[in-house]
Each structure stands twice: as structure tokens, then as C-alpha cells.
Amino acid sequence: MTKAASIPLDTALDAVPGLPAFSLKMLNSEGINTVGDLVTCYPTRHEDRRSLAFKGFSPGETPVCHHVRILKTRVLRFGKGGGVFEVVVEAAQNNLMNQQLTLRWFKMTFLQKVLAVDMELMVYGKIKEIKARLIMDHPDYEVVRDEEDDATAKIHTGRLVPIYRLRGGLKQKPLRAAIWQVIDQLNATCIPDLLPKPKTAGEFAGMSRGKALLTLHRPIEQSDLEQAKRYLALEEFYLMQLRVVKRKLHFKQTRGWSQPATGSLATEFLNNLPFTLTEAQQRCLEEIKEDMAELQPMNRLLHGDVGSGKTVVALAAMLIAVEAGQQTVLMAPTQILAEQHYANALRWLEPLGIRVSLRTGSKREDGYSLGSAGRWPASAVDSTAEINAVAPLPSNEPHLLIGTHALLYGEESFARLGLVVIDEQHKFGVAQRTKLIDQGRMPDVLVMTATPIPRTLTLTLYGDLDVSTIDQRPKERGKVITAVREITKVEDVTKFVLTQLDEGRQCYIVYPLIEESEKLDASAAKTGFTEWSKRLAPNSVELLHGRMAPEEKESIMKRFRKGDIQALVSTTVIEVGVDVPNATMMLIHDAGRYGLAQLHQLRGRIGRGTHTSYAVLFIAKGDKESQQRLHILEETNDGFLIAEEDLRRRGPGDVLGQAQSGQAPLCFGEMLADTRLVALARQLAMRTLTTDPLLLKEEHANLRPFLQDINTSMQMSIQ
Ligand code: ADP
Ligand code: MG
């Protein structure tokens, strides 16, 4: 095997010698047409099949790989649609212990046509012990040595074997063999780098794209593999950062409004508040003011833990826009939140002569209309003097508009949109944000997050924004004490809740689903409501869930806020933003089903007054895993710490949820928990873009195809 020459990455696969026709066809049908396409099919993991000396089957939490032989198979049938395919196996080599292992596949009885006695398999999965039987459920498996010659055996065993993600008609072994075949004809030094050359010292010294790709498909040592994966992750993050940093730089070059604070309204508002801003709130407001005064549009993230007081900062910013003669919009993710913001705005802002309007799907009764204000001149206005020269806002137009998504799809458009505030951003996608922005002319934008986000994700998801962090809570807050309890303790908890209700406090009781679902076996809010009504009698208990009519929800929230309702049984509709300071208790059923960040967000609804608050997280009896996972919530109230832990445990896919939609899935996403790596990618992207803003110089020719991708995906997200 000589590697002096190398086939170029854009070589069509049918020009590569040695690829079987059926593999070729299958690859082409999945859109894998060139050598480059093939080598960027990354393995999702590797199995160490170098030494499969049998050390026994032993139960444990980590998945293990074994080489086994099938002793018997059988199909068990029960219930409707049920059926289990069971395979009993023994070690294929060095089987000195005579141990047996049972492999089980539920609802996959068709496997009886695939697996038969005497076949040898590579299996990968967790082994557990049930009633003295060792069992592996739904293992990944691969048939060994059926109609396979020795030449190809070395591809599939005896090394650190890559396991690829399969799609369509692709099968593991032919795909692996095809990649092996192609790698044979590649020379690492001929594969161009995407990343700028790494420094001669440090983690990535001597690394290159070619070397990393070859190592990934054909690692020799585990340590090389780790390094290669990190290099490719860095590369992936770098491309992503190029995209966000590019967008950021682009914003910086556009012209919006200059909205200098004249001080009158915002200051009056702040002076009227029953509290003073924390230092962190003040600092963030200053940063926002400076941005708004600039001619470039503001694109800022206001980041803070639940209850850190983002709303007042946003309202002050909105008043600055009003001072500058502009209109401003506050968008909330749910109707309940929009109503709440509206109530606050009426209370705080109407006395200052501000006209506030609420637009949600169901409500348009305040009589204000939009869009009649004289349009601004086509070119942006540079100063307040010029703004004031434009006709004043007609008195039938609101200064401040509050609403939900519905705002995006209404007919009306804003004539003078100076500032858009988007609350609890994680419920919105980039596309929605852009749509609203498009209705005005480059307004200032302030995005508020619902939960603290780990730094790496901030750089990734909000990398095109400047960030202000409220890293301090208002002082006179009561503590929140959190306890994880097995559901069998519900009687004790009820007693405690009753004493608190007697003292005049209120309680949230949260359930994960609206209706009993067979599949998830979750306790539902409706059933829960009946139970808790009895337990807490004679206190007034009400039910709130997402499928109720908006008016009904609103009236229940109103009564809860007024204290007419003592306990509110609800689904997670109360998750974001709801603010009732007298509610000091929260019981969360089936807490094991939630992520840490979501639980933290939920309990952020309590501890808003001066009283000590209590959150009880109910878990199933004996659920050790949840007990352990949720323990951090008992330990700390620091949302940033919790978010980091959540990211480490669950991986970014789950943590990002909807926020990630519209972005390509990451191959090395799990490394997003690595702050250093993401920060390095950011640095490199900054450097590339500032030293070569057009990215068109010869040295970046390799990046060009990737940047074309970037441009199209940006356009897509803007539609
Ligand atoms: P979040 O940051 O979670 O959106 P909010 O803006 O809803 O939090 O604020 C939570 C509560 O704290 C509100 O009742 C708000 O009026 C109050 N608040 C905000 N800032 C302060 C402060 N500096 N001191 C005391 N209370 C404050
Ligand atoms: Mg809020």
C-alpha cells in the first residue's frame, strides 16, 4: 500500500477502484457521491475489538462489547402488538466460564429471520442482571464471519472499529468496508485544512484535517482518536463561529436608529419602583443605553438567572426608545406571560403617560391601532433632533405593544419600530425573531433568556449577540429550599403544605402531562387535580393547563394572583416568567422526567417574595438515578452551575431543544460542554474574519464551499 499519491476529495466514488457495485449504488442513493462525502461520514463511536479475550459477562452501567455465539433463539408473545425476540449466547472465544447472556429485542420479532443458532455476533450494550439472568436489551449487533473472507475480517474486528450512523439502505459493514477502501488511497497531507494552522505547541500541534480524518476512521490508539475527535470538533465549532461572528460583524456595519437616552421617562419609571436596581441590573442597563445611542442597531442578549429581574431592565430600555419618539414591542412566549407583562406595564407605565397595548391571539380590545404613524424617511434618522422633526406619534397609536407570537402574523406593521424586546427567547426560533425585525427598519433588539445558559452555548446560539449578564439577585429575597422526595412521602408533604396555606401562602403543583398517557405512564394534571382538591380541602384548588381557552386561563391566573386560589394544579404552562410573590411552595410530580434546567426554571416561580419558599421534587419510589441526578438542585440555586451540569449530563441536543431548530445537527455536539474548545473556535473565527473579512483570499479557498453553505443557511433562517 503506497500513499505517495492521493485521490482528490472531489473524486466521484465510481472512479475509485475496488468499491463493490452494490456499495456504490447504496452510497449514491444516500447522496454520498464523492470521496469527500464518504470520509465525512463520521463514526458515532468506536468499539475496541482489539482484544476480545473473554473476561466474563458482568452487569454494569457502561456498555460493553462482546464477541458471542448464538446458542438458541425464541420468540415470546404477549399482549397486543407485543412480542420479544430472545437470543441466548455464549462467548465465542476462550469460553472457559460457560456463562450465558440473553439478548432481548422488544417488538422486533422479525429478527428471527436474521439471527440463527451458531452465528457469531459482535454485541454492544449494557448488561443487567434480572432474576439471576444476565440480560442485554436492544444491543447493537453485527454478524461476524458470515460469508466473509479473512481479508475483510480485519476491517471489522481486531482493531478500534468505527461504528457509523446508518441511514436509508446503508448497512454497517459495507459502509465500513467502503470507507476503509477509500482511506487506503488517501494521503493525509493532500487533504486541505479548514482551520488556520495550529500553533507549533499545544494540544493540536502537528494536527491537520487529513490526519484527523484518517485517524477517526482508522485509529491505532485511543489517545490518537481522542485528539482527532477534538480537532474535528474544533473545526466544526470554528465553521459555526465563522457564521455567527460574520452575522455579528454584518450587524455592526448596518445603520439603524440612534436612540440616545434623554433620561426623563426611564428615570421617572425607575424612581417610582418600590425597589432600587441591583448593581448588576444597573450595569446591564448602562450597556443597553450605550448600544441604543449608537447608530448601529443593538443586538444584545440580556442573560440572567430566573428572578434576577430582567423585566424592569427591559422596560427601562423600552422607555428610552419612547423618549426617542419610537415605538417598541415586547414579545412573550405565552399568553399568560404577555398578560402579566401587560398588567405590569399598565401599572407602572400608564401613569407616565405611556400608551400600552396588548395583542395576543384572542385579545384586541384596547382600541389602539398600528401603522398609521407617518413612516420614517427612507434613510435612517441619525439623531433625536431629526426624530422629533418627524410628526409626533398619533394618539391612537400605542408607544408600547405587548404580545405573543401572534404579533408576527398580524396584518399590521410598525411604522416606527425602534426597539424589540424578546422575552424568554428559548421559545422562539431565529426565523421568528428575524420576521419581526423585518417589519421595522433595523430596530434595536434585546433578547432575554428564560434560563441561564452555559457559556459555550451562549457563544453558539447567541454568538451573534453582545451579552449583558445580570449575575446577582435582588437582596431581600426569601430563600428557596429544595427537597427531592419519593412519592410515597406525599402525606407528609401534604401536612406541610397545609400549614403553609394556613399562614396565607400559596402553592403550585406541577404535572408533566395533561392527560393520562398509557405510554408514558405519567401522572396527569387532571387526575392530580382531583386528588389534590381532596387533600388540600377546604382550600380552593384550581386546574390550569395549556389546552384551556385563553380567557379561562387568564381568569384563573388573575384569581391566583389575587390570592383567591390557594393552590394551582398545572402543567408546565407556568414554567416561564409567571410572577406571584405570595406563592411560596411548588410540588413537582414526576420530577425525574424533567431536565435540571427546566426544574430550576420551574422553581424560579417561587422565592419571589420575602418568605422562605419550598420546592418538593417528587420521584418514583426507589428511583436512585433521579435522586442522584436531582441532588444538585438541593445543593445550589445557581442557575449557571445547574445549566453546566445539565449540559454535561444530557448533551446539547436535549438542552437546546427548540432553540437549536434551524441549525444543522452537530457531529461532535457532545463536546459543546467543553468551554475551552468552543472559546478557542470563537477566537480563531474572530481572527479569520477580522484579518480577512471577505474570506475570499486565495488562502481561504478551502473554506469557500463551507461559507456558501453558511450563506444559504442564513437565508433560510431569515425566511
Ligand atoms: P426574570 O429575570 O426571571 O424575568 P423578573 O423580571 O420577573 O425576573 O423579576 C422577578 C421579580 O423581582 C419581579 O417581581 C420584579 O418586580 C422583582 N425585582 C426586579 N428587580 C428587583 C430589585 N432590584 N429588587 C427587588 N425586586 C426586584
Ligand atoms: Mg422574565
Side-chain angles (χ1 to χ4, degrees), residues 327-468:
Q327 289 172 304
T328 165
V329 165
L330 172 56
M331 243 182 7
T334 64
Q335 171 142 0
I336 288 184
L337 263 190
E339 305 272 354
Q340 178 182 293
H341 283 317
Y342 180 59
N344 282 334
L346 283 182
R347 179 158 51 105
W348 284 334
L349 306 184
E350 270 204 338
L352 305 179
I354 307 295
R355 295 189 292 275
V356 185
S357 172
L358 176 70
R359 300 291 155 105
T360 63
S362 66
K363 191 159 179 173
R364 293 184 172 218
E365 56 200 40
D366 53 36
Y368 291 125
S369 66
L370 282 178
S372 59
R375 286 224 162 244
W376 295 112
S379 65
V381 179
D382 290 3
S383 68
T384 23
E386 284 176 66
I387 286 172
N388 292 333
V390 179
L393 206 59
S395 61
N396 64 338
E397 290 226 2
H399 297 104
L400 203 148
L401 183 66
I402 296 173
T404 57
H405 295 73
L407 278 179
L408 290 175
Y409 304 105
E411 301 282 285
E412 302 162 304
S413 74
F414 307 93
R416 292 189 195 175
L417 187 54
L419 170 68
V420 176
V421 178
I422 301 176
D423 192 14
E424 317 290 3
Q425 158 77 14
H426 78 180
K427 300 282 177 182
F428 285 99
V430 175
Q432 284 125 315
R433 173 165 37 143
T434 316
K435 177 152 185 181
L436 189 77
I437 293 167
D438 284 349
Q439 296 187 358
R441 280 193 211 93
M442 298 308 277
D444 285 331
V445 174
L446 184 66
V447 170
M448 300 196 278
T449 53
T451 36
I453 300 176
R455 191 173 126 73
T456 53
L457 292 190
T458 314
L459 284 177
T460 305
L461 284 177
Y462 302 108
D464 52 347
L465 308 183
D466 297 305
V467 182
S468 292

Side-chain angles (χ1 to χ4, degrees), residues 223-238:
S223 56
D224 302 338
L225 181 59
E226 290 315 313
Q227 193 196 25
K229 285 207 283 199
R230 287 175 60 78
Y231 181 88
L232 291 168
L234 179 66
E235 193 179 74
E236 184 169 36
F237 299 159
Y238 170 73

Side-chain angles (χ1 to χ4, degrees), residues 1-12:
M1 175 172 71
T2 126
K3 283 205 177 179
S6 180
I7 42 173
L9 290 183
D10 57 5
T11 310

Side-chain angles (χ1 to χ4, degrees), residues 275-278 281 305-312 340 348 423-424 474-477 577 579 581 605 608:
F275 47 78
T276 48
L277 293 190
T278 60
Q281 283 171 313
D305 208 339
V306 268
S308 59
K310 295 181 283 283
T311 316
V312 287
Q340 178 182 293
W348 284 334
D423 192 14
E424 317 290 3
K475 279 186 211 74
E476 55 284 355
R477 286 285 163 78
D579 189 31
R605 303 304 115 225
R608 298 194 152 227

